Amino acid sequence: MVHRNELTAYMDTLLEIERFKDYGPNGLQVEGRAQINRVVCGVTASLALIEQAIAAQADAVIVHHGLFWRGQDGRVVGWMKQRLQRLLVNDVNLYAYHLPLDAAPVLGNNAVLGQRLGLKVNEYIGDQGLIALGEPDGGVAWTLEEIQQKVAQTLQRDPLVIAGDGRPLKRIAWCSGGAQGYFETAIAAGADVYLTGEISEPQMHYARETGVAFLACGHHATERYGIQALAQNVSDHFGIECQYIEVDNPA
């Protein structure tokens, strides 16, 4: 069992939350009971995840996508009321770590996604170091078909693929989630291919015009692994129970 304040301080320090300018607050977003023995983690603080965490008798929920984001009007109505009500009535803590969990060099979404795909990180580049730049383990370039197959097998979903000019894929850049806007940074860094969660209209043209391939692998699918690594770290450090709950999301 761990006190809420100790768990908060540990995760905030581990993920270096003060380094990041983010879209919402990182760390403890909803205060629940003081003593924590059982944790549930998931990608998003959806009502479905909260209700399953309550059913699992969790004392705390740790997510990547929390409740509060820049630009919200602040009213506690509708879906926000439903989520907050379940947490408050059941005295469950809610923690959220957004960009710090994407960028963490060992536990982060990009780091763990790279490991699962068989990629070695050489450096982190771009805005707040959010883009991983590396190469296949072993140093042998992949074909587009090979990387497409690896993504499909690892994430259990077929990526949307915009082919480049057919070059060997030696220099690989990736960033989990909705990071299609970083494609130009990856191109400028000399990437042969860029992997992220989503695609918008401009990226198709950039890929065709520059020859750099683009794979949209799913926002949710690319952001499952950092939160699991964080929860396992917390479990090992404090000796508390941590369970990952998957709430299916095709986006």
Side-chain angles (χ1 to χ4, degrees), residues 28 66 83 102 136 176 211 218 220:
L28 183 63
R83 296 181 188 183
D102 286 320
S176 68
H220 175 88

Side-chain angles (χ1 to χ4, degrees), residues 98-152:
H98 186 230
L99 295 185
L101 188 61
D102 286 320
V106 176
L107 302 174
N109 284 320
N110 291 329
V112 184
L113 178 62
Q115 292 169 15
R116 288 179 177 250
L117 290 174
L119 296 169
K120 179 181 73 172
V121 179
N122 292 330
E123 59 179 319
Y124 288 95
I125 63 171
D127 180 38
Q128 303 188 81
L130 291 170
I131 304 170
L133 187 62
E135 60 186 307
D137 286 339
V140 178
W142 291 343
T143 65
L144 183 62
E145 291 73 21
E146 285 174 326
I147 197 169
Q148 182 176 351
Q149 184 179 50
K150 288 178 185 292
V151 168

Side-chain angles (χ1 to χ4, degrees), residues 36-53:
I36 297 171
N37 187 53
R38 182 172 296 163
V39 170
V40 158
C41 69
V43 176
T44 299
S46 63
L47 184 61
L49 178 67
I50 291 168
E51 289 185 332
Q52 290 185 65

Side-chain angles (χ1 to χ4, degrees), residues 29-78:
Q29 289 196 344
V30 179
E31 184 178 295
R33 60 186 66 102
Q35 297 297 327
I36 297 171
N37 187 53
R38 182 172 296 163
V39 170
V40 158
C41 69
V43 176
T44 299
S46 63
L47 184 61
L49 178 67
I50 291 168
E51 289 185 332
Q52 290 185 65
I54 292 167
Q57 299 183 312
D59 305 303
V61 179
I62 307 173
V63 297
H64 180 50
H65 302 134
L67 292 180
F68 306 107
W69 301 94
R70 188 173 61 211
Q72 289 175 326
D73 67 12
R75 291 179 294 175
V76 182
V77 298

